[in-house]
Amino acid sequence: TLLPNGIAAGYGGNFWYNANAADLVSGNTITYTKKVSTAVASLCAFYATGILPVSPLDLSALATGSSGAPTLASGTPVAAGELFVAAILTSTRLTYAEDTGHGWATPFTENGASGTSDLAGGTQVNGAPSALTYAPTVTSPLAWAVRIASFKHA
């Protein structure tokens, strides 16, 4: 399922999830075919257990900007114990530091040239039904899009 507006219109990013899917086993692959073969592309995927198998998406929030301080609040989830996934996509390569101050753990980072990345993010399980903030650190002002999605537990 594609979240509305992907990561953000104009950024070429998409945020997909698949409810009730089996995990990949050794030898399985995920294939992505670009519309334009010379276009730059990044792809990150991970598997989570304990998610509601039908209609798991609770919240989806999106922000765009062009500063050195991207930030986004999630909105209030229906319950504690939801899996939150946050992602940042930038218009150029960036040096990125996870927002550990708000409790995010890094599950994925697309590494680009010279140890930089242009797609990164974090996850956490909320301890209470309250909004979460995602505010990763970037090294310089640049155009960015930040997305948070939360998934209800089974």
Side-chain angles (χ1 to χ4, degrees), residues 7-154:
I7 289 186
Y11 285 80
N14 289 308
F15 196 123
W16 296 83
Y17 70 92
N18 189 9
N20 202 26
D23 58 333
L24 296 177
V25 296
S26 180
N28 289 156
T29 60
I30 296 173
T31 302
Y32 170 72
T33 303
K34 299 182 288 184
K35 282 185 172 181
V36 178
S37 64
T38 57
V40 175
S42 300
L43 177 70
C44 297
F46 64 94
Y47 175 78
T49 59
I51 304 298
L52 194 66
V54 177
S55 302
L57 182 67
D58 181 15
L59 297 172
S60 176
L62 171 69
T64 59
S66 57
S67 69
T71 188
L72 176 62
S74 66
T76 304
V78 296
E82 292 191 12
L83 173 65
F84 280 72
V85 179
I88 180 171
L89 176 71
T90 61
S91 59
T92 59
R93 298 283 182 191
L94 68 98
T95 301
Y96 163 88
E98 184 57 82
D99 180 12
T100 57
H102 290 106
W104 296 92
T106 305
F108 60 89
T109 300
E110 184 278 320
N111 289 319
S114 303
T116 60
S117 63
D118 59 6
L119 171 64
T123 62
Q124 70 172 290
V125 174
N126 65 327
S130 56
L132 299 179
T133 298
Y134 183 61
T137 302
V138 296
T139 56
S140 61
L142 47 77
W144 49 261
V146 174
R147 166 75 77 181
I148 296 176
S150 72
F151 299 91
K152 297 174 260 186
H153 61 85

